[in-house]
Amino acid sequence: MSAAGLFAVMAILLFAPPWTLDWWQAWLFLVVYFGSSTVLMLTLAKRDPALLERRMKGGPWAEERLSQKIIMTFASLGFVALLVIPALDRRFGWSHASPLVALAGNALVMIGGYGVWRVFRENSFTSARIELASDQRVISTGPYARVRHPMYATALAMMAGIPIALGSWWGLLALAAMMPAMIWRMFDEEKFLAAGLPGYAEYKQKVRYRLIPRLW
């Protein structure tokens, strides 16, 4: 899906349930999210077009194995819920968050975006689907020296910021529902890499933590 198409879909998911365009938190979030995404895409197009191409092939339809198709289906539904639940929250007034909360949520989205850029700069093999490139090697520097899945860690920060940026505490339930799929994907990816990527098993022994340093 193109950036314009994604913007249109996200805008519909946000503004259709409350049936109003009078929602400054949603407009600000869209500007922050797509502004950050555009800068990231332009940077990749200039510095690493091969990585950009790999990142454009994502979603359930892009995965080759059934397990990952299932995982990514749940993840995609969870992302939709991250938008729809806050939209319903806006309509029915379930949450009462101050404007500062929305600004903090957007800051978290930008921090997550920076983390994604940092991962991309360190690892040119970061495909949107679980696969192995012919010349792929183990990356153990930068954020990969601290956790085995820095992409998931930064994505988690970004996704946590989305409902907060939209002023919805209830939207965080969607993130909680997505966690089993994310954890399943991490375990499945590790199994796949350990079987097919030379040196990954040793890397797992060296870097103990998957997602959060000194915790898990």
Side-chain angles (χ1 to χ4, degrees), residues 13-15 17-18 23 83-92 166:
L13 292 174
L14 286 171
F15 294 112
W23 186 12
L83 303 175
V84 172
I85 293 177
L88 293 172
D89 195 344
R90 169 68 174 81
R91 178 168 185 169
F92 297 109
L166 296 170

Side-chain angles (χ1 to χ4, degrees), residues 50-64 68 72 120 124-131 151-152 185 189:
L51 175 56
L52 177 59
E53 183 179 357
R54 283 192 286 269
R55 295 305 305 178
M56 298 300 289
K57 300 175 181 177
W61 54 87
E63 298 290 344
E64 296 182 355
Q68 286 301 323
M72 291 307 296
F120 286 168
S124 184
F125 302 106
T126 313
S127 175
R129 59 185 180 181
I130 295 180
E131 61 180 356
M151 176 60 77
Y152 296 103
R185 184 172 173 86
E189 182 175 354

Side-chain angles (χ1 to χ4, degrees), residues 175-199:
L175 180 61
M178 292 174 67
M179 287 305 297
M182 179 179 288
I183 293 171
W184 183 9
R185 184 172 173 86
M186 280 191 289
F187 279 104
D188 189 69
E189 182 175 354
E190 287 188 349
K191 182 179 179 181
F192 176 81
L193 293 176
L197 182 60

Side-chain angles (χ1 to χ4, degrees), residues 3 15-16 24 62 71 81 99 112 130 141 146 158 176 198 216:
F15 294 112
W24 68 266
I71 291 169
I130 295 180
T141 55
R146 305 198 65 184
M158 180 180 290
W216 186 68

Side-chain angles (χ1 to χ4, degrees), residues 34-48:
F34 281 95
S36 302
S37 299
T38 299
V39 170
L40 184 58
M41 289 178 63
L42 291 175
T43 301
L44 288 181
K46 181 179 180 180
R47 297 185 57 179
D48 198 340

